[in-house]
């Protein structure tokens, strides 16, 4: 039996999720289980792929690979009839409450659109660093602070955030330095005072490259010829938010580039939702998954209300009454009396 919304909009999906990372897959599982016609369009570059062992995701006491989490998420979503296709959406428009998505391979149409396109953490511009991403070069102390306890840590950055990162890392290690990589320090006086007060060394020289072996950082090599023995690098260079589709549709974006949402992950554009790192969520997998689920619930409710208002549910029910058995069988035998 077809679902209610299929009656009025052929060739148009009930929901399209752009982005098959952690937030998008979580939404697809919920929407599939809610019997919605859901399509996930994904270009295949989830940040989760960078993490070899996720240690902070509920239910995996021994950790789980980011790739494995994604693979299982796809299998789980498909189990509930969510379709997942590989494509990159390059343009979007809306016409009469229908979103039209232009992909590199195909054009898609949908009534509800969830943008779960994520972000890109910019690594420091230092030769040798990229090879160590997710192994000894990190972006997030909530994700990775715990695994670097007692190690030698360099925070590469030159702003207030870098100073606060260094202060925060003191919980995990006594050996923390800030490396500005030859750039002018932009931190304010208060942050400069904290660096002095907490005796955090600052390396101001240009970093020529990073010495590493099997993705494990050994040292920072400065242009001056000196080395600093370091085990891990964190950086505060910033993020690129993949917000273009929401922007194109007129959604409000904050000054950092994050898509503004309400508690139900609704953007300022009717029918358009956003979830995961592209919103003001703290960029964590479990939060992205939770937001994806919350967005899916809101979309499901929204479609339900629409089907009542448009009488699509009514027409669906009429078809059910014609085709299906709609009344449970009632037994004719009387209940036995209990003996006194
Ligand atoms: C090195 C590293 C280590 C990390 N370690 C941890 C950790 O240990 N624990 C933790 O909680 N978090 C960790 N994170 C963060 C975690 O990866 C993110 O929080 C999570 O992946 C965010 O999920 P998301 O769905 O918002 O975005 P993503 O998972 O990045 O997914 C976004 C998806 O959208 C797709 N997409 C983007 N634009 C388009 C488009 N136009 N058309 C089609 N598809 C598109 C992308 O290809 C991608 O697949 C780490 C991140 C990095 C970089």
């Amino acid at each position: 039996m077809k679902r209610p919304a299929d009656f009025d909009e052929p060739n148009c999906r009930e929901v399209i999720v752009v982005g098959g990372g952690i937030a998008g897959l979580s939404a697809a599982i919920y929407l599939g289980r809610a019997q919605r016609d859901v399509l996930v369009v994904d270009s295949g570059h989830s940040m989760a792929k960078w993490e070899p062992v996720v240690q902070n995701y509920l239910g995996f006491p021994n950790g789980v690979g980011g790739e494995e989490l994604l693979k299982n998420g796809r299998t789980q979503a498909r189990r509930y009839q969510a379709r997942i296709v590989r494509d990159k959406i390059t343009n979007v428009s809306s016409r009469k409450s229908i979103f039209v998505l232009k992909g590199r391979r195909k054009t898609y149409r949908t009534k509800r659109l969830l943008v779960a396109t994520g972000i890109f953490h910019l690594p420091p511009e230092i030769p040798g660093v990229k090879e160590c991403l997710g192994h000894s070069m990190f972006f997030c102390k909530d994700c990775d602070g715990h695994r670097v306890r007692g190690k030698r840590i360099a925070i590469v950055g030159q702003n207030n955030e870098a100073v606060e990162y260094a202060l925060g890392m003191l919980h995990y290690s006594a050996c923390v330095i800030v490396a500005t990589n030859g750039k002018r320090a932009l931190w304010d006086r208060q942050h400069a005072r904290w660096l002095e007060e907490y005796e955090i060394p600052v390396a101001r020289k240009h970093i020529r490259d990073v010495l590493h072996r099997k993705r494990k950082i050994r040292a920072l090599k400065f242009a001056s010829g000196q080395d600093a023995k370091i085990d891990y690098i964190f950086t505060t260079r910033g993020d690129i938010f993949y917000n273009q589709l929401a922007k194109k549709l007129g959604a409000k974006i904050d000054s950092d580039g994050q898509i503004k949402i309400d508690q139900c992950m609704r953007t300022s554009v009717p029918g358009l939702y956003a979830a995961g790192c592209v919103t003001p969520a703290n960029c964590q997998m479990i939060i992205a998954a939770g937001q994806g689920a919350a967005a899916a619930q809101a979309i499901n409710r929204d479609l339900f209300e629409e089907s009542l208002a448009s009488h699509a549910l009514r027409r669906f029910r009429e078809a059910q009454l014609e085709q299906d058995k709609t009344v449970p069988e009632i037994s004719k035998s009387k209940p036995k009396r209990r003996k006194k």
Side-chain angles (χ1 to χ4, degrees):
M1 172 70 63
K2 280 194 165 188
R3 285 179 290 266
D6 294 347
F7 281 89
D8 42 15
E9 286 299 339
N11 302 323
C12 175
R13 314 301 297 230
E14 278 186 302
V15 190
I16 288 184
V17 180
V18 182
I22 304 292
L25 289 173
S26 172
I29 292 164
Y30 268 69
L31 287 161
R33 287 176 56 78
Q35 302 285 91
R36 294 293 174 195
D37 161 42
V38 56
L39 174 73
V40 179
V41 184
D42 183 42
S43 56
H45 302 291
S46 165
M47 277 199 310
K49 285 185 173 181
W50 289 100
E51 181 53 69
V53 189
V54 184
Q55 295 177 336
N56 59 349
Y57 202 94
L58 179 75
F60 297 93
N62 301 318
V64 57
E67 285 261 23
E68 195 186 338
L69 207 53
L70 290 167
K71 191 166 158 252
N72 288 344
R74 284 192 292 270
T75 306
Q76 199 174 348
R78 286 188 174 119
R79 181 164 293 170
Y80 301 112
Q81 279 71 53
R83 277 203 64 213
I84 304 173
V85 294
R86 178 63 67 90
D87 202 351
K88 182 174 171 133
I89 302 300
T90 52
N91 206 351
V92 63
S93 58
S94 71
R95 229 176 298 138
K96 291 188 188 162
S97 320
I98 302 288
F99 297 103
V100 182
L101 301 158
K102 186 124 193 38
R104 286 206 175 132
R105 293 187 175 169
K106 268 181 84 174
T107 298
Y108 310 86
R109 297 165 79 236
T110 185
K111 292 179 141 203
R112 296 293 180 280
L113 176 60
L114 171 61
V115 172
T117 40
I119 62 175
F120 177 66
H121 293 309
L122 291 165
E125 293 161 305
I126 303 170
V129 151
K130 278 193 190 146
E131 295 88 310
C132 304
L133 266 178
H135 295 265
S136 51
M137 148 80 235
F138 299 121
F139 301 92
C140 161
K141 62 177 186 306
D142 296 335
C143 305
D144 301 305
H146 188 268
R147 66 180 100 214
V148 304
R149 284 164 300 146
K151 302 293 183 189
R152 294 165 297 194
I153 300 160
I155 314 297
V156 178
Q158 72 276 6
N159 51 11
N160 285 348
E161 198 189 344
V163 175
E164 288 179 27
Y165 239 87
L167 292 167
M169 289 310 284
L170 297 177
H171 277 290
Y172 303 105
S173 174
C175 183
V176 179
I177 69 164
V178 174
T180 63
N181 192 19
K183 301 215 172 85
R184 192 166 67 86
L186 298 173
W187 46 71
D188 63 22
R189 274 206 214 146
Q190 175 60 67
H191 287 76
R193 265 200 298 275
W194 278 333
L195 283 173
E196 271 182 45
E197 191 184 327
Y198 288 88
E199 300 189 33
I200 296 174
V202 179
R204 294 179 191 268
K205 298 198 178 84
H206 177 68
I207 303 168
R208 200 180 63 206
D209 62 14
V210 165
L211 271 187
H212 59 89
R213 204 158 153 244
K214 293 185 182 167
R215 301 178 165 210
K216 297 290 286 172
I217 292 171
R218 298 288 176 94
L220 302 181
K221 275 191 108 32
F222 293 101
S224 58
Q226 289 168 306
D227 286 1
K229 300 249 181 303
I230 287 295
D231 305 304
Y232 291 97
I233 292 179
F234 283 75
T235 184
T236 58
R237 201 175 141 216
D239 301 312
I240 294 171
F241 289 85
Y242 294 129
N243 58 19
Q244 299 89 335
L245 302 177
K247 222 184 220 173
K248 181 86 202 295
L249 291 167
K252 287 189 181 150
I253 311 284
D254 72 14
S255 55
D256 289 330
Q258 305 169 126
I259 304 170
K260 288 190 182 180
I261 43 160
D262 68 8
Q263 275 177 330
C264 295
M265 312 296 133
R266 292 191 190 96
T267 70
S268 55
V269 175
L272 176 67
Y273 298 73
C277 290
V278 74
T279 74
N282 183 332
C283 195
Q284 302 286 297
M285 292 187 196
I286 201 137
I287 296 175
Q291 279 201 337
Q297 283 186 312
I299 291 169
N300 191 35
R301 176 76 205 177
D302 195 9
L303 286 167
F304 167 68
E305 285 173 7
E306 187 183 270
S307 72
L308 280 177
S310 69
H311 305 297
L313 186 59
R314 182 65 198 265
R315 292 193 290 279
F316 178 69
R317 181 60 178 155
E318 277 161 12
Q320 263 184 345
L321 290 167
E322 264 175 35
Q323 293 166 23
D324 292 340
K325 197 166 187 183
T326 56
V327 180
E329 281 168 17
I330 297 167
S331 150
K332 282 178 188 156
S333 60
K334 284 182 188 168
K336 280 184 189 164
R337 281 214 171 155
R338 268 207 194 149
K339 282 184 188 163
K340 283 185 185 167

